[in-house]
Every structure is written in structure tokens, then in C-alpha cells.
Amino acid sequence: MKRLWTLAITISGALVSNSALPAGSVEAGVTKAVVCQACHGANGNSTNPDWPSLAGIGADYIAEAVEELQGWQTQQSGHVAIVANLSPEDMADLGAYFDSLTNTGLEADPSYWQAAKSSIEPATRHGRFPACMACHGPTGRGNEPAKFPALRGQQSVYVSKQLNDYASGTRSTGPNGIMQTIAKRLTSEDIRNLASYMQGIR
């Protein structure tokens, strides 16, 4: 357990110090975001459970996620064609714009969200993995300086898929792969409960 907490701190420090993207402009991002809004919502709040909401999740996180998409060698999700010609400035502007929007949130499934509290809150967690709030904040608002994204109000279907992808190794993140390490310790019930909790948190 101590090792996992150390990983989180190490990753946080690395992310803070390694940013190479310029500061973004909200105003410039308005026009550039038009094509993104078809999937991620006119106000950054996705209505399709397969696509994440981008409103307020973190400017640097969004910019670096776009940069990562640009580096993919496949046409997965159609993103590669969309982001292929974006400059670092474009990415920063998109991040700034979407981060300036308000996440309106959705409702959590009452059958599941209560069970997730033991995974979210350090005081009640069962010890199989660090509490999510350690990196993503006590109310799921994220940690912008460390580039840990906000998770509150995120589509539960999307969150479930990302956690399963981390667990399987389909998706990776961070220099030490902390999300892969954590996701592998989650049961299918953990993932379902966590995703529902995050969808409804305000």
C-alpha cells in the first residue's frame, strides 16, 4: 500500500515538471472546438455514454490527451484524422476552452454508488488499492497541477471502459503506470460501483 502511495506522489511530481505545451487561450479554443462538440457535447457535456465529457476536467490533461491521440498509429475511434494536423498551440487552446466549461453532471445509479464509498474515501476503503480521492480529489474535481483529471459527472459507461482498458493493458498512463496497477486490483463490481459514483458526484 505504501508503495502505491509513493507511486502516486512520484507521478504527480513528474507530471508537474514535464509540461511542454504552451498556455492555452479560451477564446481561441472556441472556434477550434466546433468539430469536437459533435461527440463531446456543445457545452463539453457528452450525451453519448461512449464519449467522455470534457467540461472542466483539466486544461493540461485535455491537451496532453489530444497529443497522445495524435501519436496513435491506428484510426481508432476516428480521432487520428481529427487531431492529425493540430499544433501544440491548438491542443492547449482546446484544453483551455473545455476546462473553462461547467460539468453539469448526471445521476448515479442508486443501486451501486453507495458501495463505491469504500473505494473513494480513505477512512472507509478496504485496503486493496489507494482511495481514488488521493489523486482525483475529495469531490472528484481532479488535481490540475499534477494533471490528474476531474472525474465528477463523467459518463459511467466511459469510466467503466477506461478502467477495464487499464486493467487489460489496452490503455496506459503515467510514467509508472499507476492506473494500470490500481485497475488490475478492481473487481467487475468495483468498476461498476466506482463508475456510477463518479457519474453522480457533484
Side-chain angles (χ1 to χ4, degrees):
M1 182 57 61
K2 182 177 180 181
R3 176 176 172 273
L4 287 175
W5 281 100
T6 302
L7 279 175
I9 294 170
T10 301
I11 289 174
S12 173
L15 290 173
V16 169
S17 61
N18 290 337
S19 176
L21 290 169
S25 163
V26 174
E27 292 75 18
V30 173
T31 302
K32 296 174 182 179
V34 171
V35 67
C36 308
Q37 292 169 341
C39 293
H40 299 287
N43 58 359
N45 288 277
S46 172
T47 58
N48 184 330
D50 292 324
W51 302 109
S53 292
L54 300 181
I57 68 171
D60 287 343
Y61 177 82
I62 293 170
E64 292 197 353
V66 174
E67 185 177 39
E68 181 181 347
L69 285 170
Q70 195 177 60
W72 287 3
Q73 298 302 308
T74 71
Q75 298 301 309
Q76 181 175 348
S77 304
H79 272 116
V80 172
I82 294 171
V83 305
N85 297 316
L86 295 180
S87 68
E89 182 180 3
D90 293 332
M91 299 175 197
D93 291 342
L94 287 170
Y97 170 68
F98 280 110
D99 190 47
S100 74
L101 303 176
T102 300
N103 187 299
T104 57
L106 298 165
E107 294 302 316
D109 188 319
S111 303
Y112 305 133
W113 75 267
Q114 288 280 6
K117 288 176 70 66
S118 63
S119 301
I120 299 291
E121 300 173 359
T124 57
R125 74 178 189 277
H126 39 61
R128 286 185 290 116
F129 49 88
C132 304
M133 67 183 297
C135 294
H136 297 285
T139 58
R141 291 178 179 270
N143 183 333
E144 176 71 9
K147 300 178 189 173
F148 294 127
L151 298 178
R152 63 192 181 96
Q154 195 57 263
Q155 293 276 4
S156 64
V157 171
Y158 176 78
V159 172
S160 294
K161 183 180 186 306
Q162 302 317 302
L163 289 173
N164 281 308
D165 284 351
Y166 283 131
S168 69
T170 303
R171 181 178 180 184
S172 61
T173 189
N176 291 309
I178 190 170
M179 280 308 304
Q180 296 92 292
T181 300
I182 292 172
K184 287 176 181 177
R185 298 189 177 198
L186 300 175
T187 66
S188 59
E189 289 79 13
D190 289 331
I191 290 174
R192 177 198 64 196
N193 296 342
L194 282 168
S196 181
Y197 186 98
M198 290 300 178
Q199 178 170 288
I201 198 171
R202 298 291 187 273

